[in-house]
Amino acid sequence: MIQIIFGGFMVTSLLYALVKGEGAACVSAMLAGADDAVASALSMAGGFAFFCGLINILKKAGAIRFLSRLLSPGLQRLMGPSLPDTALDYVTMNLTANMLGLGNAATPMGMKAAQAMAQGETATNALCLFLVINASSVQLLPSTVISLRAAAGSASPGAIVLPTLAATLVSTLAGILSCKLWEGKS
């Protein structure tokens, strides 16, 4: 659906530029934008490679398993009795992977957790809470933002770590509180 919306924006913009007699300027701007996108992707590649390597080291060192064991009892208690045992491992691994900036590794586990928690067409309280926690995602290592800042020439790309941690902690706590308040009314 999003492709259709953005495609519509592009076609509408191009048609408008052609009607106004600015077709050459529009094409020039599109090519410059494509060039900037490629340059940005190439400049970020080093940062992504570094963080992917760091995450693999953490993974092999057992950091994900350690965080999973640390989070598991609290998640079981937080999500309550409607959380199936089969889903707890997936939930824990998903949230742990997200905390360490492993979004791609977290997605399959999150989908399996959601499937294990869903009851037919109905979302359980545990599933809703999981989706809120997953969306707010406490970030211990915001590798994507650090890479973007480094690619943009920031003098201190890692300065975002503490503010990001604080903001994601607050958003996660607000989401949990909202879910628990809503859960009590249903």
Side-chain angles (χ1 to χ4, degrees):
M1 181 66 178
I2 196 80
Q3 306 94 308
I4 295 169
I5 293 171
F6 280 113
F9 283 150
M10 288 174 49
V11 169
T12 303
S13 298
L14 186 56
L15 289 175
Y16 182 76
L18 290 172
V19 168
K20 289 293 227 175
E22 299 290 330
C26 183
V27 170
S28 176
M30 288 186 331
L31 291 174
D35 187 45
D36 289 346
V38 170
S40 293
L42 289 175
S43 67
M44 288 177 14
F48 280 124
F50 170 75
F51 282 112
C52 285
L54 180 63
I55 294 304
N56 279 331
I57 291 169
L58 289 172
K59 207 173 179 183
K60 290 185 183 194
I64 292 178
R65 279 193 205 99
F66 173 75
L67 274 174
S68 290
R69 283 195 307 268
L70 193 67
L71 292 175
S72 187
L75 285 171
Q76 179 69 50
R77 187 164 184 238
L78 179 66
M79 294 197 166
S82 66
L83 179 67
D85 291 333
T86 56
L88 181 60
D89 288 339
Y90 292 127
V91 168
T92 306
M93 292 297 286
N94 171 270
L95 296 178
T96 302
N98 274 331
M99 285 179 173
L100 294 175
L102 294 168
N104 290 341
T107 301
M109 291 179 278
M111 293 178 73
K112 287 180 181 180
Q115 289 169 346
M117 285 187 270
Q119 295 177 345
E121 297 290 319
T122 304
T124 62
N125 287 332
L127 176 56
C128 293
L129 182 60
F130 168 66
L131 293 174
V132 166
I133 293 171
N134 192 29
S136 62
S137 186
V138 171
Q139 293 290 300
L140 299 177
L141 184 64
S143 56
T144 302
V145 176
I146 293 171
S147 295
L148 285 169
R149 288 173 50 90
S154 172
S156 181
I160 195 73
V161 172
L162 286 177
T164 301
L165 179 60
T168 57
L169 277 171
V170 169
S171 69
T172 300
L173 290 174
I176 290 170
L177 182 62
S178 297
C179 281
K180 289 300 180 180
L181 288 172
W182 190 265
E183 186 178 302
K185 295 181 185 215
S186 57

